[in-house]
Amino acid sequence: MRVHGGEEASFTLVEIKKFLKEKGIRHGLVQDSVLEEYLRKNALREGPCPVAQGTPAEPGKDAQVTYHFEKDPLRIGIIKAGGGIDFKDKGEIPQVKEGALLGEKIPPIREKPGKDVYGETIAVEKARDFPLLPGPGTKASPDRLKIFAQRSGRPMVGSDGKLSVINELKIPGDVDLKTGHIRFDGFVDVAGSIQPGFEVKAGRLAAKEIIRAEVESDGDVVVNGGLIGAKVVCRGNLKTRFIQSSQVEAWAD
């Protein structure tokens, strides 16, 4: 605020407060003692003097969710020594042990709207929250800001934000260039065939056929069709319809 006028112009504290009220300025007003000091020093004639100040809005901060495993692990292939790409190797499938920390969340910091000198609200964009929810095979901490594995297996994030741990891996078709090699400690269920040149290492395995591929299983291997030119190491029972031109090492039946 600044006063304009001749030497004879003068104002009182009451008049200044009445003027501010008429202008609709009602928020963040300075104390009367400050206005009295302006008048005593004739500061209103010498330059602008602050008489009211709005409250600035305080932006919030979005929630942050950190996952302690690779959510999208599969790649086009692995670069080999010499610069070539092995298109059959897509990388490792994430696996965790029981008790492992899967994800944690920092809650959002809520925003605070501001207010101008007229008492009007100054809007601010709302901070976003993101879900961190326990699913099958997991449990949440008491404050629900951390998720832990309740069993060993493959961690996953569902479309609803739920974290799960599954101890089996379902392959809806063949093990081929789309899937790459498979390395999984739990049960691997292949609806189709394990195609030539691919490798599968599993805790247990079921497949339609194994064709000129290499398989290693810590448990049973069940093949609905047969083995053709395959190499199989099975530390459990092996069940298959036929074996043709294959190398088989079975530790049980």
Side-chain angles (χ1 to χ4, degrees):
M1 180 176 180
R2 182 174 185 176
V3 173
H4 297 279
E7 291 294 330
E8 69 283 355
S10 63
F11 290 91
T12 65
L13 174 63
V14 173
E15 289 173 327
I16 292 176
K17 292 181 69 174
K18 180 181 178 182
F19 172 80
L20 294 174
K21 184 176 181 181
E22 289 173 350
K23 294 298 183 181
I25 299 174
R26 56 190 178 88
H27 176 73
L29 293 167
V30 299
Q31 298 291 326
D32 288 357
S33 58
V34 175
L35 294 176
E36 290 172 344
E37 186 70 9
Y38 290 160
L39 293 172
R40 188 180 68 80
K41 293 183 177 180
N42 208 24
L44 294 172
R45 293 186 179 281
E46 309 216 351
C49 297
V51 293
Q53 182 175 353
T55 302
E58 296 182 20
K61 189 174 182 180
D62 294 344
Q64 299 180 49
V65 175
T66 302
Y67 297 102
H68 295 280
F69 61 92
E70 181 60 57
K71 293 198 300 177
D72 188 17
L74 296 184
R75 292 165 281 179
I76 294 175
I78 299 295
I79 299 177
K80 301 183 294 184
I85 298 179
D86 182 358
F87 291 101
K88 295 179 180 179
D89 194 341
K90 304 290 185 180
E92 297 293 328
I93 296 171
Q95 298 180 70
V96 296
K97 298 295 185 182
E98 181 180 354
L101 175 62
L102 302 177
E104 54 188 326
K105 172 181 174 179
I106 298 176
I109 298 175
R110 295 301 179 186
E111 67 288 342
K112 294 181 180 179
K115 190 175 285 189
D116 63 20
V117 294
Y118 300 102
E120 300 296 330
T121 299
I122 301 173
V124 62
E125 186 176 353
K126 289 186 176 182
R128 294 178 296 171
D129 198 1
F130 301 100
L132 183 67
L133 305 172
T138 69
K139 64 177 179 180
S141 60
D143 60 8
R144 303 190 71 81
L145 296 179
K146 294 182 179 180
I147 302 290
F148 297 90
Q150 279 191 308
R151 60 190 178 198
S152 298
R154 178 189 180 193
M156 297 180 63
V157 181
S159 58
D160 56 359
K162 286 186 177 180
L163 273 168
S164 303
V165 175
I166 57 174
N167 52 13
E168 67 177 59
L169 177 63
K170 289 184 176 290
I171 307 296
D174 295 338
V175 173
D176 53 17
L177 281 173
K178 185 177 180 180
T179 64
H181 301 311
I182 302 294
R183 304 177 187 93
F184 188 67
D185 292 339
F187 174 48
V188 177
D189 187 4
V190 182
S193 302
I194 303 174
Q195 293 293 308
F198 287 89
E199 300 174 5
V200 175
K201 293 184 179 181
R204 294 184 297 122
L205 173 67
K208 182 178 179 181
E209 288 181 314
I210 302 176
I211 306 169
R212 297 192 299 280
E214 294 188 15
V215 167
E216 182 178 344
S217 173
D218 291 329
D220 296 343
V221 174
V222 178
V223 183
N224 293 329
L227 310 180
I228 303 172
K231 181 179 180 180
V232 177
V233 175
C234 171
R235 298 183 181 89
N237 299 305
L238 171 65
K239 181 178 180 180
T240 181
R241 289 183 179 273
F242 64 88
I243 300 173
Q244 177 181 324
S245 304
S246 299
Q247 179 181 337
V248 176
E249 180 182 341
W251 291 22
D253 296 335

